[in-house]
Amino acid sequence: MARSLSEWLWQHEFWLPPGITWQDMQESEDVHYPQPRDLLLSIPFALILIVIRRAFERAVALPLSSKLGVRDKQRPQAQPNPTLETFYSTRCKNPDESELIRLARQCDLPLRKVERWFRRRRNSDRPSLSKKFCEACWRFTFYITAFLTGLAVLYDKPWLWDHRECWTGYPQQPLQPSLFWYYLLELSFYWSLVFTLPFDVKRKDFKEQIVHHAATIFLISFSYCANYIRIGTLVMVIHDASDCFLEPTKIFNYMKWKKTCDSLFMIFSAVFLISRLVVFPYTVLYNTYYYSMEIFQPFFGYYFMNALLIILQLLHVFWSCLIIHMVCKFLLQGTMDKDMRSDTEESDKDEEREKIREKEKNGMTYFSNITSNSYIQRNGSEPLTSRSHLTNGHVKER
């Protein structure tokens, strides 16, 4: 069964253009082609990247956050309650009104206290500011490293300047060692993101992130197996270009450096919109759809490759709409709006209302005392401050 499945999966009609078979892709001492087994190295390398990330966050990013004044918000902690904790961890983190009423009766607590407990418990699970800072520092370090690595690898390659060179001699294009290590670096990083996805900061586009990571891993893996190395390197360097500006924007936002954050956000927006909505469609989509047809006829790999690239482009459009919306708010309000992808922390509205009522009550008492004193003085009587009250209710003149 396994052999039959493997033979069916690796049919040359799926992976290679018409007229080319796997026998035409045989390696020699001087010529090496991509081998699917090479991709297995990305798993241990991803685990190594995770270890490096943990060490980097603890030894570099976390001390840096304290030196730069990044402080975690003090959150009220939920009072220990085994019944509510069991429900929270096993059933639901955001119960509806009927469940809240039932839990309030079960715990013999007011409904507002149960609501407050769940709000505080959810807030305690939300990532701290220092964790967001450390994650942004790690991603910035990787993206800038990957982008510079991509430029160093591709600056002397002909297909970076003439996109038709992506298909010269395809698929019999030898694999250079620098391209192999560049591919391995990028694929290992995205595998590490998948492995740490349950523990990283969750944003509102969590599902889109999963689709993006899956499409990216499939795209990198398939492009390697089908020897789309040249077009794959263009995809990776284009994506890293805008990510280099996104992460420092987050870092300065966590540091409360508003002007620097706003400036970097505008630069990031321009780079993202140009690279993802202009450069990517022309350099990659038009290239794979049109220029490749000058070399070979369409086959399964051609359609599958373009399908993955179109999924990426649809995600680009989705994120571009969010960015354009934020840019419009920035131009109208003069300051950058909060990240629409971030999950906002819930405020304890009951406590806020109680504080407001207490302030209003104190203000009314103070106003009542002032008006009473003024009324007494206007009627020729002594102010209340000149009298001393006894415990029996009588007033003693001073």
Side-chain angles (χ1 to χ4, degrees), residues 348-383:
D348 210 331
K349 296 182 180 179
D350 285 344
E351 290 185 356
E352 291 180 358
R353 291 194 187 101
E354 291 173 3
K355 291 179 180 179
I356 293 174
R357 291 194 192 102
E358 185 177 353
K359 289 181 179 179
E360 291 178 349
K361 183 179 179 181
N362 294 337
M364 290 298 295
T365 304
Y366 177 73
F367 177 75
S368 177
N369 290 337
I370 293 177
T371 53
S372 298
N373 291 341
S374 299
Y375 175 79
I376 293 172
Q377 290 176 358
R378 284 197 304 268
N379 287 274
S381 303
E382 294 183 7

mmCIF file of all heavy atoms in Angstrom, residues 348-383:
data_model
loop_
_atom_site.group_PDB
_atom_site.id
_atom_site.type_symbol
_atom_site.label_atom_id
_atom_site.label_comp_id
_atom_site.label_asym_id
_atom_site.label_seq_id
_atom_site.Cartn_x
_atom_site.Cartn_y
_atom_site.Cartn_z
ATOM 1 N N ASP A 348 -12.645 45.795 33.541
ATOM 2 C CA ASP A 348 -13.608 45.393 34.571
ATOM 3 C C ASP A 348 -14.639 46.511 34.705
ATOM 4 O O ASP A 348 -14.493 47.435 35.495
ATOM 5 C CB ASP A 348 -12.877 45.162 35.893
ATOM 6 C CG ASP A 348 -13.598 44.111 36.715
ATOM 7 O OD1 ASP A 348 -14.825 44.001 36.551
ATOM 8 O OD2 ASP A 348 -12.935 43.419 37.495
ATOM 9 N N LYS A 349 -15.697 46.453 33.904
ATOM 10 C CA LYS A 349 -16.650 47.558 33.812
ATOM 11 C C LYS A 349 -17.409 47.768 35.117
ATOM 12 O O LYS A 349 -17.765 48.895 35.454
ATOM 13 C CB LYS A 349 -17.641 47.290 32.667
ATOM 14 C CG LYS A 349 -16.954 47.252 31.302
ATOM 15 C CD LYS A 349 -17.964 47.028 30.203
ATOM 16 C CE LYS A 349 -17.287 46.988 28.835
ATOM 17 N NZ LYS A 349 -18.249 46.749 27.739
ATOM 18 N N ASP A 350 -17.657 46.688 35.842
ATOM 19 C CA ASP A 350 -18.363 46.844 37.114
ATOM 20 C C ASP A 350 -17.547 47.691 38.077
ATOM 21 O O ASP A 350 -18.084 48.591 38.742
ATOM 22 C CB ASP A 350 -18.633 45.475 37.731
ATOM 23 C CG ASP A 350 -19.755 44.744 37.012
ATOM 24 O OD1 ASP A 350 -20.490 45.430 36.273
ATOM 25 O OD2 ASP A 350 -19.883 43.533 37.186
ATOM 26 N N GLU A 351 -16.254 47.416 38.172
ATOM 27 C CA GLU A 351 -15.412 48.194 39.071
ATOM 28 C C GLU A 351 -15.325 49.646 38.616
ATOM 29 O O GLU A 351 -15.320 50.567 39.426
ATOM 30 C CB GLU A 351 -14.011 47.578 39.132
ATOM 31 C CG GLU A 351 -13.982 46.243 39.855
ATOM 32 C CD GLU A 351 -12.576 45.712 39.996
ATOM 33 O OE1 GLU A 351 -11.651 46.364 39.459
ATOM 34 O OE2 GLU A 351 -12.390 44.670 40.644
ATOM 35 N N GLU A 352 -15.251 49.836 37.314
ATOM 36 C CA GLU A 352 -15.194 51.209 36.804
ATOM 37 C C GLU A 352 -16.474 51.965 37.134
ATOM 38 O O GLU A 352 -16.429 53.131 37.528
ATOM 39 C CB GLU A 352 -14.953 51.185 35.292
ATOM 40 C CG GLU A 352 -13.557 50.691 34.903
ATOM 41 C CD GLU A 352 -13.366 50.685 33.413
ATOM 42 O OE1 GLU A 352 -14.337 51.028 32.695
ATOM 43 O OE2 GLU A 352 -12.260 50.360 32.950
ATOM 44 N N ARG A 353 -17.611 51.297 36.976
ATOM 45 C CA ARG A 353 -18.878 51.961 37.290
ATOM 46 C C ARG A 353 -18.959 52.295 38.785
ATOM 47 O O ARG A 353 -19.442 53.360 39.169
ATOM 48 C CB ARG A 353 -20.055 51.067 36.896
ATOM 49 C CG ARG A 353 -20.226 50.892 35.390
ATOM 50 C CD ARG A 353 -21.576 50.291 35.074
ATOM 51 N NE ARG A 353 -21.711 49.971 33.674
ATOM 52 C CZ ARG A 353 -21.572 48.752 33.183
ATOM 53 N NH1 ARG A 353 -21.290 47.747 33.982
ATOM 54 N NH2 ARG A 353 -21.722 48.527 31.892
ATOM 55 N N GLU A 354 -18.501 51.350 39.630
ATOM 56 C CA GLU A 354 -18.525 51.603 41.063
ATOM 57 C C GLU A 354 -17.636 52.779 41.442
ATOM 58 O O GLU A 354 -17.991 53.601 42.290
ATOM 59 C CB GLU A 354 -18.088 50.339 41.814
ATOM 60 C CG GLU A 354 -19.109 49.211 41.724
ATOM 61 C CD GLU A 354 -18.577 47.921 42.321
ATOM 62 O OE1 GLU A 354 -17.439 47.967 42.846
ATOM 63 O OE2 GLU A 354 -19.272 46.896 42.261
ATOM 64 N N LYS A 355 -16.465 52.863 40.816
ATOM 65 C CA LYS A 355 -15.574 53.989 41.094
ATOM 66 C C LYS A 355 -16.196 55.302 40.652
ATOM 67 O O LYS A 355 -16.102 56.322 41.339
ATOM 68 C CB LYS A 355 -14.234 53.776 40.393
ATOM 69 C CG LYS A 355 -13.407 52.643 40.988
ATOM 70 C CD LYS A 355 -12.093 52.482 40.231
ATOM 71 C CE LYS A 355 -11.271 51.340 40.823
ATOM 72 N NZ LYS A 355 -10.004 51.149 40.080
ATOM 73 N N ILE A 356 -16.868 55.274 39.483
ATOM 74 C CA ILE A 356 -17.513 56.492 38.995
ATOM 75 C C ILE A 356 -18.631 56.915 39.940
ATOM 76 O O ILE A 356 -18.779 58.099 40.265
ATOM 77 C CB ILE A 356 -18.045 56.275 37.560
ATOM 78 C CG1 ILE A 356 -16.872 56.098 36.580
ATOM 79 C CG2 ILE A 356 -18.922 57.441 37.132
ATOM 80 C CD1 ILE A 356 -17.316 55.734 35.172
ATOM 81 N N ARG A 357 -19.441 55.936 40.400
ATOM 82 C CA ARG A 357 -20.521 56.265 41.328
ATOM 83 C C ARG A 357 -19.964 56.830 42.632
ATOM 84 O O ARG A 357 -20.521 57.771 43.207
ATOM 85 C CB ARG A 357 -21.353 55.015 41.618
ATOM 86 C CG ARG A 357 -22.184 54.524 40.444
ATOM 87 C CD ARG A 357 -23.221 53.518 40.918
ATOM 88 N NE ARG A 357 -23.841 52.836 39.799
ATOM 89 C CZ ARG A 357 -23.534 51.610 39.417
ATOM 90 N NH1 ARG A 357 -22.586 50.947 40.049
ATOM 91 N NH2 ARG A 357 -24.150 51.051 38.398
ATOM 92 N N GLU A 358 -18.859 56.242 43.102
ATOM 93 C CA GLU A 358 -18.260 56.726 44.348
ATOM 94 C C GLU A 358 -17.745 58.156 44.196
ATOM 95 O O GLU A 358 -17.927 58.994 45.071
ATOM 96 C CB GLU A 358 -17.124 55.794 44.764
ATOM 97 C CG GLU A 358 -16.527 56.145 46.121
ATOM 98 C CD GLU A 358 -15.458 55.165 46.540
ATOM 99 O OE1 GLU A 358 -15.283 54.147 45.826
ATOM 100 O OE2 GLU A 358 -14.790 55.421 47.553
ATOM 101 N N LYS A 359 -17.118 58.428 43.048
ATOM 102 C CA LYS A 359 -16.629 59.791 42.804
ATOM 103 C C LYS A 359 -17.793 60.768 42.717
ATOM 104 O O LYS A 359 -17.746 61.877 43.254
ATOM 105 C CB LYS A 359 -15.803 59.829 41.520
ATOM 106 C CG LYS A 359 -14.453 59.128 41.630
ATOM 107 C CD LYS A 359 -13.683 59.223 40.316
ATOM 108 C CE LYS A 359 -12.331 58.533 40.432
ATOM 109 N NZ LYS A 359 -11.582 58.595 39.164
ATOM 110 N N GLU A 360 -18.868 60.363 42.015
ATOM 111 C CA GLU A 360 -20.036 61.237 41.905
ATOM 112 C C GLU A 360 -20.668 61.467 43.272
ATOM 113 O O GLU A 360 -21.092 62.581 43.600
ATOM 114 C CB GLU A 360 -21.046 60.626 40.937
ATOM 115 C CG GLU A 360 -20.570 60.620 39.479
ATOM 116 C CD GLU A 360 -21.588 59.965 38.576
ATOM 117 O OE1 GLU A 360 -22.541 59.347 39.111
ATOM 118 O OE2 GLU A 360 -21.430 60.059 37.339
ATOM 119 N N LYS A 361 -20.718 60.408 44.072
ATOM 120 C CA LYS A 361 -21.300 60.539 45.408
ATOM 121 C C LYS A 361 -20.480 61.482 46.270
ATOM 122 O O LYS A 361 -21.012 62.346 46.971
ATOM 123 C CB LYS A 361 -21.398 59.167 46.061
ATOM 124 C CG LYS A 361 -22.050 59.176 47.429
ATOM 125 C CD LYS A 361 -22.134 57.772 47.977
ATOM 126 C CE LYS A 361 -22.774 57.778 49.358
ATOM 127 N NZ LYS A 361 -22.847 56.404 49.929
ATOM 128 N N ASN A 362 -19.158 61.317 46.239
ATOM 129 C CA ASN A 362 -18.279 62.215 46.988
ATOM 130 C C ASN A 362 -18.399 63.645 46.503
ATOM 131 O O ASN A 362 -18.391 64.584 47.277
ATOM 132 C CB ASN A 362 -16.822 61.747 46.883
ATOM 133 C CG ASN A 362 -16.610 60.413 47.573
ATOM 134 O OD1 ASN A 362 -17.370 60.046 48.460
ATOM 135 N ND2 ASN A 362 -15.580 59.680 47.162
ATOM 136 N N GLY A 363 -18.534 63.805 45.198
ATOM 137 C CA GLY A 363 -18.683 65.151 44.651
ATOM 138 C C GLY A 363 -19.979 65.798 45.067
ATOM 139 O O GLY A 363 -20.024 66.979 45.411
ATOM 140 N N MET A 364 -21.071 65.008 45.090
ATOM 141 C CA MET A 364 -22.359 65.546 45.515
ATOM 142 C C MET A 364 -22.337 65.906 46.996
ATOM 143 O O MET A 364 -22.884 66.923 47.420
ATOM 144 C CB MET A 364 -23.460 64.509 45.238
ATOM 145 C CG MET A 364 -23.760 64.308 43.750
ATOM 146 S SD MET A 364 -24.356 65.816 42.951
ATOM 147 C CE MET A 364 -25.899 66.030 43.807
ATOM 148 N N THR A 365 -21.657 65.083 47.824
ATOM 149 C CA THR A 365 -21.550 65.388 49.251
ATOM 150 C C THR A 365 -20.771 66.671 49.477
ATOM 151 O O THR A 365 -21.146 67.532 50.281
ATOM 152 C CB THR A 365 -20.878 64.222 49.977
ATOM 153 O OG1 THR A 365 -21.617 63.025 49.721
ATOM 154 C CG2 THR A 365 -20.808 64.478 51.466
ATOM 155 N N TYR A 366 -19.670 66.784 48.728
ATOM 156 C CA TYR A 366 -18.853 67.993 48.860
ATOM 157 C C TYR A 366 -19.639 69.222 48.420
ATOM 158 O O TYR A 366 -19.637 70.269 49.073
ATOM 159 C CB TYR A 366 -17.589 67.837 48.023
ATOM 160 C CG TYR A 366 -16.702 69.055 48.022
ATOM 161 C CD1 TYR A 366 -15.946 69.401 49.153
ATOM 162 C CD2 TYR A 366 -16.609 69.867 46.895
ATOM 163 C CE1 TYR A 366 -15.134 70.522 49.155
ATOM 164 C CE2 TYR A 366 -15.802 70.983 46.894
ATOM 165 C CZ TYR A 366 -15.055 71.302 48.024
ATOM 166 O OH TYR A 366 -14.253 72.408 48.010
ATOM 167 N N PHE A 367 -20.392 69.087 47.313
ATOM 168 C CA PHE A 367 -21.191 70.208 46.817
ATOM 169 C C PHE A 367 -22.295 70.550 47.809
ATOM 170 O O PHE A 367 -22.604 71.725 48.057
ATOM 171 C CB PHE A 367 -21.787 69.836 45.457
ATOM 172 C CG PHE A 367 -22.677 70.889 44.879
ATOM 173 C CD1 PHE A 367 -22.148 72.049 44.323
ATOM 174 C CD2 PHE A 367 -24.056 70.735 44.914
ATOM 175 C CE1 PHE A 367 -22.977 73.020 43.794
ATOM 176 C CE2 PHE A 367 -24.885 71.710 44.388
ATOM 177 C CZ PHE A 367 -24.342 72.856 43.816
ATOM 178 N N SER A 368 -22.894 69.531 48.439
ATOM 179 C CA SER A 368 -23.965 69.767 49.412
ATOM 180 C C SER A 368 -23.434 70.497 50.643
ATOM 181 O O SER A 368 -24.086 71.396 51.170
ATOM 182 C CB SER A 368 -24.591 68.434 49.809
ATOM 183 O OG SER A 368 -25.575 68.614 50.797
ATOM 184 N N ASN A 369 -22.235 70.126 51.094
ATOM 185 C CA ASN A 369 -21.642 70.789 52.258
ATOM 186 C C ASN A 369 -21.369 72.259 51.970
ATOM 187 O O ASN A 369 -21.611 73.135 52.796
ATOM 188 C CB ASN A 369 -20.351 70.090 52.665
ATOM 189 C CG ASN A 369 -20.601 68.717 53.264
ATOM 190 O OD1 ASN A 369 -21.705 68.467 53.766
ATOM 191 N ND2 ASN A 369 -19.609 67.847 53.200
ATOM 192 N N ILE A 370 -20.862 72.539 50.757
ATOM 193 C CA ILE A 370 -20.545 73.926 50.397
ATOM 194 C C ILE A 370 -21.808 74.769 50.348
ATOM 195 O O ILE A 370 -21.885 75.867 50.882
ATOM 196 C CB ILE A 370 -19.800 73.975 49.057
ATOM 197 C CG1 ILE A 370 -18.413 73.337 49.210
ATOM 198 C CG2 ILE A 370 -19.671 75.407 48.569
ATOM 199 C CD1 ILE A 370 -17.642 73.280 47.920
ATOM 200 N N THR A 371 -22.843 74.237 49.704
ATOM 201 C CA THR A 371 -24.086 75.005 49.576
ATOM 202 C C THR A 371 -24.752 75.206 50.931
ATOM 203 O O THR A 371 -25.349 76.252 51.198
ATOM 204 C CB THR A 371 -25.047 74.307 48.610
ATOM 205 O OG1 THR A 371 -25.219 72.946 49.045
ATOM 206 C CG2 THR A 371 -24.482 74.306 47.198
ATOM 207 N N SER A 372 -24.654 74.215 51.820
ATOM 208 C CA SER A 372 -25.250 74.350 53.149
ATOM 209 C C SER A 372 -24.543 75.426 53.944
ATOM 210 O O SER A 372 -25.181 76.264 54.596
ATOM 211 C CB SER A 372 -25.175 73.011 53.889
ATOM 212 O OG SER A 372 -25.900 72.023 53.200
ATOM 213 N N ASN A 373 -23.238 75.446 53.910
ATOM 214 C CA ASN A 373 -22.472 76.481 54.612
ATOM 215 C C ASN A 373 -22.784 77.864 54.069
ATOM 216 O O ASN A 373 -22.928 78.833 54.822
ATOM 217 C CB ASN A 373 -20.975 76.204 54.504
ATOM 218 C CG ASN A 373 -20.572 74.961 55.301
ATOM 219 O OD1 ASN A 373 -21.314 74.543 56.182
ATOM 220 N ND2 ASN A 373 -19.422 74.390 54.975
ATOM 221 N N SER A 374 -22.900 77.936 52.728
ATOM 222 C CA SER A 374 -23.193 79.245 52.130
ATOM 223 C C SER A 374 -24.578 79.725 52.539
ATOM 224 O O SER A 374 -24.803 80.899 52.826
ATOM 225 C CB SER A 374 -23.098 79.142 50.598
ATOM 226 O OG SER A 374 -21.789 78.761 50.229
ATOM 227 N N TYR A 375 -25.526 78.789 52.608
ATOM 228 C CA TYR A 375 -26.886 79.181 52.997
ATOM 229 C C TYR A 375 -26.907 79.678 54.439
ATOM 230 O O TYR A 375 -27.557 80.665 54.758
ATOM 231 C CB TYR A 375 -27.825 77.977 52.821
ATOM 232 C CG TYR A 375 -29.225 78.240 53.307
ATOM 233 C CD1 TYR A 375 -30.112 78.976 52.514
ATOM 234 C CD2 TYR A 375 -29.655 77.769 54.552
ATOM 235 C CE1 TYR A 375 -31.396 79.216 52.965
ATOM 236 C CE2 TYR A 375 -30.940 78.033 54.996
ATOM 237 C CZ TYR A 375 -31.798 78.742 54.186
ATOM 238 O OH TYR A 375 -33.075 78.994 54.622
ATOM 239 N N ILE A 376 -26.214 79.017 55.350
ATOM 240 C CA ILE A 376 -26.192 79.424 56.757
ATOM 241 C C ILE A 376 -25.549 80.791 56.910
ATOM 242 O O ILE A 376 -26.028 81.651 57.638
ATOM 243 C CB ILE A 376 -25.461 78.376 57.601
ATOM 244 C CG1 ILE A 376 -26.275 77.082 57.616
ATOM 245 C CG2 ILE A 376 -25.236 78.853 59.011
ATOM 246 C CD1 ILE A 376 -25.553 75.924 58.256
ATOM 247 N N GLN A 377 -24.439 81.006 56.177
ATOM 248 C CA GLN A 377 -23.753 82.286 56.282
ATOM 249 C C GLN A 377 -24.616 83.413 55.738
ATOM 250 O O GLN A 377 -24.626 84.522 56.262
ATOM 251 C CB GLN A 377 -22.422 82.222 55.543
ATOM 252 C CG GLN A 377 -21.395 81.329 56.247
ATOM 253 C CD GLN A 377 -20.119 81.211 55.442
ATOM 254 O OE1 GLN A 377 -20.030 81.763 54.358
ATOM 255 N NE2 GLN A 377 -19.147 80.512 56.007
ATOM 256 N N ARG A 378 -25.357 83.135 54.661
ATOM 257 C CA ARG A 378 -26.212 84.181 54.096
ATOM 258 C C ARG A 378 -27.345 84.536 55.045
ATOM 259 O O ARG A 378 -27.888 85.634 55.009
ATOM 260 C CB ARG A 378 -26.785 83.707 52.747
ATOM 261 C CG ARG A 378 -25.764 83.755 51.604
ATOM 262 C CD ARG A 378 -26.486 83.699 50.278
ATOM 263 N NE ARG A 378 -27.344 82.519 50.173
ATOM 264 C CZ ARG A 378 -26.963 81.368 49.660
ATOM 265 N NH1 ARG A 378 -25.717 81.214 49.260
ATOM 266 N NH2 ARG A 378 -27.813 80.353 49.580
ATOM 267 N N ASN A 379 -27.788 83.638 55.916
ATOM 268 C CA ASN A 379 -28.872 83.899 56.857
ATOM 269 C C ASN A 379 -28.373 84.405 58.205
ATOM 270 O O ASN A 379 -29.122 84.408 59.178
ATOM 271 C CB ASN A 379 -29.701 82.633 57.053
ATOM 272 C CG ASN A 379 -30.568 82.321 55.847
ATOM 273 O OD1 ASN A 379 -31.680 82.824 55.733
ATOM 274 N ND2 ASN A 379 -30.024 81.512 54.941
ATOM 275 N N GLY A 380 -27.102 84.771 58.277
ATOM 276 C CA GLY A 380 -26.576 85.371 59.499
ATOM 277 C C GLY A 380 -26.155 84.380 60.537
ATOM 278 O O GLY A 380 -25.799 84.778 61.636
ATOM 279 N N SER A 381 -26.257 83.103 60.263
ATOM 280 C CA SER A 381 -25.855 82.095 61.231
ATOM 281 C C SER A 381 -24.380 81.784 61.067
ATOM 282 O O SER A 381 -23.767 82.073 60.050
ATOM 283 C CB SER A 381 -26.666 80.814 61.039
ATOM 284 O OG SER A 381 -28.033 81.104 61.149
ATOM 285 N N GLU A 382 -23.818 81.154 62.071
ATOM 286 C CA GLU A 382 -22.425 80.786 62.004
ATOM 287 C C GLU A 382 -22.264 79.572 61.096
ATOM 288 O O GLU A 382 -23.143 78.714 61.024
ATOM 289 C CB GLU A 382 -21.904 80.455 63.406
ATOM 290 C CG GLU A 382 -21.892 81.639 64.338
ATOM 291 C CD GLU A 382 -21.303 81.242 65.687
ATOM 292 O OE1 GLU A 382 -20.820 80.100 65.785
ATOM 293 O OE2 GLU A 382 -21.335 82.062 66.606
ATOM 294 N N PRO A 383 -21.171 79.487 60.426
ATOM 295 C CA PRO A 383 -20.930 78.304 59.589
ATOM 296 C C PRO A 383 -20.789 77.072 60.451
ATOM 297 O O PRO A 383 -20.438 77.143 61.617
ATOM 298 C CB PRO A 383 -19.635 78.640 58.858
ATOM 299 C CG PRO A 383 -18.957 79.631 59.743
ATOM 300 C CD PRO A 383 -20.041 80.420 60.377
#
